[in-house]
Amino acid sequence: MVDHETWTARQDRTEVTVDGHELEVAYYESGPEHEEIDGDGEWPDEPPVVFLHGIPTWSFLWRDVAPAIAEDRRVIAPDLAGYGNSAMHDGFDRSIRAQEAMLDDLLDGLVDGPVTLVAHDIGGGVALRYAADNPDAVDQLVLSNAVCYDSWPVEFINDLGLPSTIAELGAEGVEAKLDYAFGEGLYGDDPNPEFLEGMKAPWDSEQARVSLSRNAVATNTSHTTEIDYGAITAETLLLWGDDDVLQPVSYAERLAEDLQDAQLSRLSEAFHWVVEDRTESYRHRLRSFLAEGEP
């Protein structure tokens, strides 16, 4: 288990350009020890695995998955712009269109060649856009309870997108909203305190709460309805929490029909935070797909 402070200390920082704005992006990066590869400090030949979170989470979502994958593969898990330990100041777009541009510039600086994308929630929307716009750049694609088509936004996020709501709620009210979101989004009744505290940690300042509101108001359905889903050529796994009411499995079934090479793997007893609900099964099926193309 890794707490949020340890995860933060493990992150690196870089700058990306999005719509002319220079933004700092924090990211977790790991992989097999360089000495065990070839002694030259090179990463493995396989495409790196890039993990993308959603709203209102951050890369800490992957704390029990990314390090396990890093035993065999290079992994990169960024905080989206406006989230986690990435830039939160006001004055830039947080939409998934802008997050796709962030991802493009980030990978341009870190990676030489194709990648595998593993994505949840709005991170899934970012991954779908990137895979459709850059089909040769994505080797494999894993989507979990991802926004797509017209499946979003949801009422909870819409409410947070109103600046007046954030102001009226104040720090305690926003924390209560987050407690509800992270608690109700799990299958079990008692959230892991480490998960709950870790997910809330980045939003504990006035600047962060404003950023959360900007992130919420940037949820634009048009950015997923305009995707050319048929252009996505990556081998795709839809690793979906079966009991989610926010991003129902019916949308995964639709993706399975529209994507060129997709298979659906359902995880029972899992709501929206499927990575937290079924961590061990999620890790197992993900590792199997990455290695063998089958969950």
Side-chain angles (χ1 to χ4, degrees), residues 13-280:
R13 305 289 191 277
T14 191
E15 276 201 346
V16 300
T17 302
V18 179
D19 302 334
H21 297 280
E22 297 294 326
L23 303 175
E24 184 175 76
V25 170
Y27 63 96
Y28 171 91
E29 183 175 29
S30 188
E33 291 295 330
H34 289 198
E35 310 82 75
E36 297 177 7
I37 301 171
D38 61 7
D40 295 328
E42 297 294 331
W43 294 105
D45 291 334
E46 296 89 349
V49 182
V50 180
F51 292 87
L52 300 173
H53 66 85
I55 186 171
T57 62
W58 56 302
S59 62
F60 185 68
L61 177 72
W62 306 107
R63 74 195 187 285
D64 292 326
V65 175
I69 302 303
E71 293 174 8
D72 306 304
R73 299 273 289 271
R74 180 188 181 190
V75 302
I76 302 168
D79 293 339
L80 298 181
Y83 294 78
N85 292 304
S86 290
M88 281 197 180
H89 61 269
D90 214 0
F92 62 89
D93 185 10
R94 276 99 156 145
S95 70
I96 65 168
R97 179 209 60 80
Q99 303 293 356
E100 180 195 6
M102 180 280 290
L103 178 65
D104 190 37
D105 202 35
L106 178 70
L107 295 182
D108 186 58
L110 296 179
V111 177
D112 181 17
V115 299
T116 289
L117 298 178
V118 180
H120 177 262
D121 192 76
I122 68 165
V126 177
L128 283 163
R129 286 183 64 97
Y130 186 84
D133 292 339
N134 307 275
D136 293 337
V138 182
D139 179 60
Q140 290 178 304
L141 177 62
V142 180
L143 301 170
S144 297
N145 300 71
V147 303
C148 53
Y149 307 108
D150 61 351
S151 72
W152 67 308
V154 297
E155 184 177 0
F156 166 76
I157 297 300
N158 273 341
D159 290 346
L160 287 179
L162 299 173
S164 58
T165 298
I166 293 292
E168 290 166 5
L169 286 173
E172 291 185 359
V174 170
E175 182 175 11
K177 286 278 190 181
L178 293 172
D179 282 335
Y180 173 81
F182 292 122
E184 292 300 311
L186 291 169
Y187 189 83
D189 294 330
D190 298 315
N192 182 335
E194 179 187 87
F195 171 75
L196 189 59
E197 293 307 311
M199 286 295 106
K200 293 190 301 181
W203 308 116
D204 190 22
S205 73
E206 183 175 355
Q207 182 187 58
R209 289 187 287 274
V210 171
S211 187
L212 177 58
S213 178
R214 302 292 190 254
N215 297 339
V217 80
T219 52
N220 186 337
T221 312
S222 298
H223 291 167
T224 46
T225 56
E226 70 180 1
I227 294 173
D228 181 2
Y229 291 89
I232 297 173
T233 59
E235 181 185 30
T236 302
L237 174 64
L238 306 166
L239 188 51
W240 217 271
D242 210 18
D243 300 298
D244 191 4
V245 297
L246 299 178
Q247 300 300 322
V249 73
S250 58
Y251 281 100
E253 294 169 341
R254 185 174 172 185
L255 284 169
E257 291 182 1
D258 289 348
L259 301 183
Q260 293 187 30
D261 182 8
Q263 56 183 309
L264 172 58
S265 181
R266 301 169 183 250
L267 285 166
S268 61
E269 299 184 355
F271 281 176
H272 189 61
W273 311 119
V274 57
V275 182
E276 185 69 13
D277 272 331
R278 297 294 305 277
T279 305
E280 185 175 349

